[in-house]
Amino acid sequence: RSHLAGKRHRRLRCLRAERRAQEQRSLFVSGFARGTAPERLRRHFRAFGPVATVVMDKEKGAFAIVELRDAAGRQRAL
């Protein structure tokens, strides 16, 4: 019980909840030309809703994770 009430456990629960929420707003994107700038993906996905972040694969540039600000934007993009 003391572990569940501890600061570290509560922080981890909050972090996991935030990750689950991000999951509901994010898209895995591939198939675009290598060297595509993150800003270009941001502009494209802005048509579906405000974009929170674009994280590109740094090694090969073969994929990106696009996080929209809300789950409805993700649904529109899908």
Side-chain angles (χ1 to χ4, degrees), residues 11-73:
R11 189 173 53 235
L12 183 58
R13 282 182 42 195
C14 287
L15 182 61
R16 285 182 179 160
E18 176 56 27
R19 293 291 185 255
R20 279 192 294 274
Q22 282 178 321
E23 206 175 282
Q24 298 302 309
R25 299 185 307 259
S26 297
L27 298 161
F28 175 86
V29 182
S30 63
F32 50 85
R34 290 196 179 184
T36 299
E39 185 54 38
R40 185 166 180 199
L41 291 176
R42 182 181 297 278
R43 281 194 311 268
H44 175 78
F45 283 96
R46 203 176 290 151
F48 306 107
V51 175
T53 59
V54 175
V55 179
M56 303 287 288
D57 169 31
K58 292 181 194 244
E59 285 187 29
K60 299 178 184 176
F63 70 88
I65 304 295
V66 177
E67 181 187 349
L68 291 116
R69 294 215 186 268
D70 58 45

Side-chain angles (χ1 to χ4, degrees), residues 1-12:
R1 290 182 191 267
S2 66
H3 169 76
L4 297 176
K7 235 194 290 190
R8 189 174 183 185
H9 183 77
R10 288 189 315 227
R11 189 173 53 235
L12 183 58

